[in-house]
């Protein structure tokens, strides 16, 4: 009985330490060479900011007229700001975590009603394009998922530009792209990508 109690106490202590460690790692800027809020990249005139720990929050970003862009300087804030600045696009649902940007109930090539963007599934018939919003699922240490913008596409590779990848990760990342029987698959477990309707063209607007 005493051994069981000791074991339970040890397990509880380990859980507390693990939780504390997770909080330190994900909420703290561990990179002394970067300052939270610093511009680390830019794509089509839209800035990418450094956020330090992936769960760090610097308050909510709003457009001049109050449209919710998201929490500074999270990945969601970048993609929403990108679509707002580049296409003057406002999402009907102005909230949600990264994983919520992909709707499993939206058919291939149909309009995602919460985002007002055309949605395509990974391993489907539609090849990703520059300016697409690409969505990645949650992971063991990231329950919120991740979103980014497609910056370049070749026959074998997709490059993304992202905000808040972690204190030591870069704003650009590349994933293998493979076409089999007319189906395009982006490696890295991407759920899919979203795109503005063909009738829309870039229309920069001030924040």
């Amino acid at each position: 009985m005493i051994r069981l109690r000791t074991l339970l106490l040890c397990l509880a202590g380990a859980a507390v330490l693990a939780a504390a460690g997770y909080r330190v790692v994900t909420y703290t800027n561990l990179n002394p060479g970067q300052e939270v809020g610093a511009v680390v990249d830019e794509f089509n005139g839209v800035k990418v900011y450094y956020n330090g720990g992936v769960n760090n929050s610097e308050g909510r970003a709003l457009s001049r007229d109050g449209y919710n862009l998201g929490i500074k300087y999270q990945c969601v804030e970048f993609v929403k700001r990108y679509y707002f600045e580049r296409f003057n696009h406002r999402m009907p649902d102005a909230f949600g975590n990264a994983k919520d940007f992909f709707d499993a109930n939206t058919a291939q090539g149909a309009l995602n009603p919460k985002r007002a963007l055309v949605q395509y599934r990974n391993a489907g018939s539609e090849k990703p394009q520059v300016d697409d919003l690409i969505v990645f699922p949650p992971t063991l240490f990231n329950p919120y998922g991740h979103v980014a913008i497609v910056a370049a596409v070749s026959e074998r590779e997709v490059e993304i530009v992202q905000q808040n990848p972690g204190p030591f990760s870069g704003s650009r990342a590349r994933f293998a792209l493979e076409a089999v029987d007319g189906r395009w698959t982006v490696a890295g477990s991407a759920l899919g990508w979203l795109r503005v309707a063909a009738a829309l063209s870039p229309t920069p607007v001030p924040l």
Side-chain angles (χ1 to χ4, degrees):
M1 189 68 178
I2 295 177
R3 289 182 179 179
L4 177 60
R5 184 180 301 170
T6 302
L7 177 60
L8 291 175
L9 288 173
C10 289
L11 290 175
V16 170
L17 289 175
Y22 174 81
R23 184 170 182 82
V24 169
V25 169
T26 61
Y27 284 84
T28 305
N29 180 18
L30 300 176
N31 186 348
Q34 286 284 8
E35 181 180 351
V36 173
V39 176
V40 294
D41 201 346
E42 184 176 300
F43 185 60
N44 286 326
V46 182
K47 293 179 173 60
V48 179
Y49 297 99
Y50 177 74
N51 192 44
V54 293
N55 286 332
N56 181 52
S57 171
E58 295 292 322
R60 190 169 296 279
L62 302 173
S63 68
R64 289 181 180 178
D65 61 358
Y67 172 61
N68 172 43
L69 296 167
I71 302 296
K72 307 174 190 177
Y73 299 99
Q74 295 283 333
C75 61
V76 165
E77 188 271 340
F78 169 63
V79 299
K80 289 185 67 184
R81 179 163 44 83
Y82 183 87
Y83 270 70
F84 182 75
E85 290 188 24
R86 183 156 170 77
F87 298 103
N88 195 19
H89 179 82
R90 298 168 185 260
M91 298 183 181
D93 185 346
F95 296 88
N97 295 314
K99 64 181 181 180
D100 301 321
F101 277 62
F102 186 87
D103 179 14
N105 296 318
T106 296
Q108 175 79 346
L111 193 71
N112 180 321
K114 289 185 177 182
R115 309 303 161 189
L117 298 170
V118 180
Q119 179 176 289
Y120 302 98
R121 297 175 183 273
N122 197 10
S125 59
E126 184 67 23
K127 184 179 181 181
Q129 296 180 6
V130 173
D131 285 331
D132 283 357
L133 190 166
I134 190 166
V135 187
F136 295 91
T139 62
L140 179 62
F141 296 105
N142 173 17
Y144 309 108
H146 188 57
V147 286
I149 298 294
V150 175
V153 182
S154 69
E155 292 302 306
R156 296 185 177 181
E157 196 172 60
V158 169
E159 180 184 75
I160 65 168
V161 56
Q162 59 187 339
Q163 192 168 264
N164 196 32
F168 298 102
S169 297
S171 60
R172 304 288 176 123
R174 294 181 178 182
F175 298 90
L177 176 65
E178 184 179 22
V180 177
D181 296 329
R183 294 182 175 274
W184 297 91
T185 300
V186 176
S189 69
L191 295 172
W193 36 94
L194 289 79
R195 183 178 304 162
V196 292
L200 294 178
S201 59
T203 307
V205 295
L207 285 177

